[in-house]
Amino acid sequence: MKFIADSFYIYAEHNTGIYAAELFSEEWKLRTGFLPKMAENAEKANLIFNFNNDLNDKDFFIIDEINSTLRITAKTIRGLIFGYSYFLRKIVFFC
């Protein structure tokens, strides 16, 4: 999966997801120099922050891909931060 740094879109609905998206945006800008944009709906997004209260552990996160969109699901802000931190550690940036 490839992302273009200057046209990266994030989508989040729940307050927890929106806060995680704001934190992620700061990290993305530090690494790429570009601030990601907030998408109006999930179809336009490259990354979706999903809140799921049914998960058992506050640190647990799920990263999956749906139609070339990455989705991070967690129960708490801590889980979402762990999820996007894992994503940022694993991606490779090309200039």
Side-chain angles (χ1 to χ4, degrees):
M1 177 182 306
K2 293 183 181 180
F3 301 110
I4 300 172
D6 64 346
S7 60
F8 194 82
Y9 287 88
I10 304 169
Y11 180 74
E13 286 184 348
H14 192 272
N15 288 340
T16 303
I18 293 170
Y19 184 58
E22 291 170 356
L23 294 173
F24 173 82
S25 294
E26 294 171 12
E27 291 296 324
W28 186 263
K29 186 173 181 186
L30 285 173
R31 288 166 169 77
T32 66
F34 298 101
L35 189 64
K37 300 163 188 74
M38 291 299 289
E40 295 177 8
N41 56 48
E43 289 83 34
K44 288 184 169 184
N46 301 105
L47 177 63
I48 299 171
F49 286 99
N50 191 24
F51 178 74
N52 185 342
N53 203 25
D54 295 332
L55 297 174
N56 292 332
D57 191 341
K58 66 179 180 179
D59 297 340
F60 184 74
F61 63 89
I62 301 169
I63 298 178
D64 57 349
E65 179 186 354
I66 301 170
N67 299 329
S68 72
T69 299
L70 195 66
R71 181 176 63 181
I72 300 174
T73 304
K75 181 177 184 174
T76 64
I77 186 69
R78 183 178 165 112
L80 290 173
I81 291 170
F82 285 166
Y84 81 65
S85 297
Y86 181 83
F87 166 68
L88 289 172
R89 282 192 310 273
K90 296 299 178 181
I91 62 173
V92 176
F93 294 97
F94 293 102
C95 299

